[in-house]
Amino acid sequence: MNHFSENLAHFVHGAAFMFFILASIQLYPLRYRSNMMRLLFYSMIFLAFLEFKDMGFLIKGVWYNPYITSITMSTDMLYVPLMALFFFEVISPGWVTLRRIIGMSMPSVLFIIAYIIYPSAVIFKTAMLYALVFGTVITVIVFMASSRRDNYIKNNFSDIENLSISWVRKAITALYICLVLWTILLWEENWLSDAAYYAISIIVWTYIYRLSQKHSVIEMPNTSGLFMPKTEKNEYHEIPNFPFCKRLREYMENERMFLNPKLTLTEVATAIGTNRTYLSEYLNNDLGTTFYEYVNGFRIKEACSLLSSNERKTLAEIAELSGFNSLSTFNRAFIKSIGETPARYLKKYQTK
């Protein structure tokens, strides 16, 4: 059983190395699309390097040399700031600079240099503990910052399919599990855990790779910081009486602005003669909703009307006629609002 576990670990390790090599090749022509894609490209190269250097353990005598083994394992610490930098760039485009790359990577580099000069078990264990604590802090920050940015996106855009970064929280959770597994492996060698670590890494980075290609990077005004403001304060520091609320509903119902799949808060604010801050405050504070949910409410109402009519239309056509940018977005919004799929809703009227 132990022999099988060891072979499995080596196999998955090799698969991870090939995955990162292939991902690097595929990302090469996409590296200039955005800073996020450039970071992902270099991340794949670095991760391929980390997998490649571990193959040195296959050389006779290397695995049993504690000095070389500890240095090699210490290099893996750089995985943590790399992970942090990528996710910070996704959350806040333009946040990653050369100064910040150096600042976040320097402690790990100094730990590695310190161990090379003075190979102490205390230094090695402290370095590993630092990586785990740093990774924990980064995970918490990513959760908080990505959630704040998602709220901002929902308050400004009616189509968030490729703008939302909810996938970041799933990815960082899985990578944190990888970090914990890696830390355990440093103290207690286990071939099955080793195989699980590499397998999870392949799955998570495949997920990140796919979602990153679909993600639309947008740089919004006054959002250069990692954390978005919780609320926007208007220039008078008080909430007006919102005289435009009647015009807003009239424009939605009569002008049918919701049929524009790319409708933004700024466009609506301009159309009804107010500014985006007042409009956002009205939706958030008076109606208790986001711009995204408010617009989708009209779209769902339109979709229900089309579904219950005698006209024969496909669900894709109904989604488009209702203002949705895609069928998948339409299905999710419909289920959330009505409690059942559009297909089931349509079937009820067809059987009558």
Side-chain angles (χ1 to χ4, degrees):
M1 178 64 183
N2 187 58
H3 186 65
F4 170 79
S5 301
E6 182 178 353
N7 288 337
L8 178 63
H10 290 318
F11 173 79
V12 183
H13 185 184
F17 172 64
M18 290 306 301
F19 167 77
F20 291 125
I21 288 292
L22 292 173
S24 301
I25 294 172
Q26 291 183 327
L27 283 167
Y28 180 77
L30 305 176
R31 68 192 187 285
Y32 293 123
R33 182 189 292 180
S34 64
N35 285 337
M36 179 193 73
M37 295 304 290
R38 188 179 298 110
L39 267 174
L40 184 60
F41 168 65
Y42 288 118
S43 296
M44 294 298 100
I45 293 177
F46 185 73
L47 289 171
F49 163 74
L50 290 182
E51 302 302 337
F52 178 74
K53 57 88 178 165
D54 284 347
M55 293 182 183
F57 289 131
L58 298 176
I59 300 174
K60 188 176 181 180
V62 172
W63 179 255
Y64 298 101
N65 187 318
Y67 179 66
I68 297 177
T69 299
S70 296
I71 292 175
T72 304
M73 289 183 172
S74 296
T75 308
D76 291 335
M77 281 197 306
L78 295 171
Y79 181 100
V80 181
L82 175 76
M83 174 183 69
L85 288 164
F86 171 74
F87 285 123
F88 286 175
E89 181 63 27
V90 177
I91 294 169
S92 183
W95 189 89
V96 175
T97 61
L98 180 60
R99 179 173 61 85
R100 283 171 171 159
I101 291 173
I102 294 173
M104 292 186 69
S105 305
M106 189 56 65
S108 299
V109 173
L110 291 176
F111 270 120
I112 295 171
I113 294 174
Y115 185 81
I116 292 174
I117 297 173
Y118 185 71
S120 164
V122 174
I123 293 177
F124 178 76
K125 290 181 179 180
T126 303
M128 299 306 105
L129 180 62
Y130 164 77
L132 181 60
V133 173
F134 183 57
T136 303
V137 172
I138 291 301
T139 301
V140 173
I141 292 174
V142 168
F143 257 83
M144 294 172 62
S146 62
S147 178
R148 190 82 63 81
R149 186 172 180 87
D150 262 341
N151 287 334
Y152 186 92
I153 290 172
K154 287 181 179 180
N155 278 317
N156 286 270
F157 299 91
S158 65
D159 176 24
I160 65 171
E161 184 174 10
N162 295 322
L163 298 179
S164 173
I165 54 173
S166 58
W167 59 273
V168 164
R169 293 186 286 280
K170 299 174 185 176
I172 194 71
T173 300
L175 287 178
Y176 183 72
I177 292 173
C178 283
L179 177 61
V180 173
L181 273 175
W182 172 74
T183 306
I184 293 173
L185 287 170
L186 293 175
W187 270 271
E188 185 178 343
E189 180 186 342
N190 184 299
W191 289 115
L192 284 178
S193 297
D194 208 32
Y197 168 78
Y198 291 119
I200 294 174
S201 294
I202 293 172
I203 294 170
V204 177
W205 283 104
T206 299
Y207 176 73
I208 293 172
Y209 172 77
R210 291 180 64 250
L211 270 294
S212 295
Q213 286 188 305
K214 295 180 181 179
H215 183 67
S216 297
V217 177
I218 53 168
E219 294 188 16
M220 295 175 282
N222 303 319
T223 62
S224 58
L226 190 59
F227 285 95
M228 309 294 300
K230 285 186 178 180
T231 57
E232 293 181 287
K233 299 298 182 182
N234 62 62
E235 56 185 318
Y236 301 111
H237 303 287
E238 60 180 10
I239 300 175
N241 293 322
F242 304 121
F244 55 79
C245 57
K246 185 177 179 181
R247 290 199 304 275
L248 172 62
R249 191 161 192 87
E250 287 175 350
Y251 266 79
M252 282 294 175
E253 293 179 342
N254 301 329
E255 301 296 327
R256 297 165 68 78
M257 297 181 73
F258 62 87
L259 295 181
N260 175 8
K262 298 293 184 181
L263 188 65
T264 66
L265 181 78
T266 301
E267 290 172 334
V268 175
T270 301
I272 63 176
T274 186
N275 64 53
R276 53 189 296 277
T277 302
Y278 285 168
L279 178 55
S280 182
E281 286 180 343
Y282 169 65
L283 294 173
N284 295 163
N285 300 330
D286 276 35
L287 300 187
T289 188
T290 63
F291 175 71
Y292 170 72
E293 292 166 343
Y294 180 75
V295 175
N296 270 359
F298 288 95
R299 291 171 177 168
I300 293 297
K301 185 178 178 181
E302 178 71 11
C304 288
S305 177
L306 291 171
L307 287 167
S308 59
S309 69
N310 293 324
E311 297 181 37
R312 291 286 182 174
K313 288 183 173 62
T314 65
L315 292 178
E317 289 174 327
I318 290 173
E320 183 179 357
L321 290 171
S322 302
F324 287 98
N325 197 41
S326 69
L327 182 58
S328 58
T329 303
F330 170 51
N331 281 325
R332 286 195 298 269
F334 198 92
I335 292 172
K336 183 178 180 180
S337 178
I338 306 300
E340 60 183 352
T341 64
R344 183 177 291 274
Y345 186 91
L346 176 61
K347 190 175 181 180
K348 289 192 302 187
Y349 283 94
Q350 287 179 338
T351 55
K352 287 183 179 180

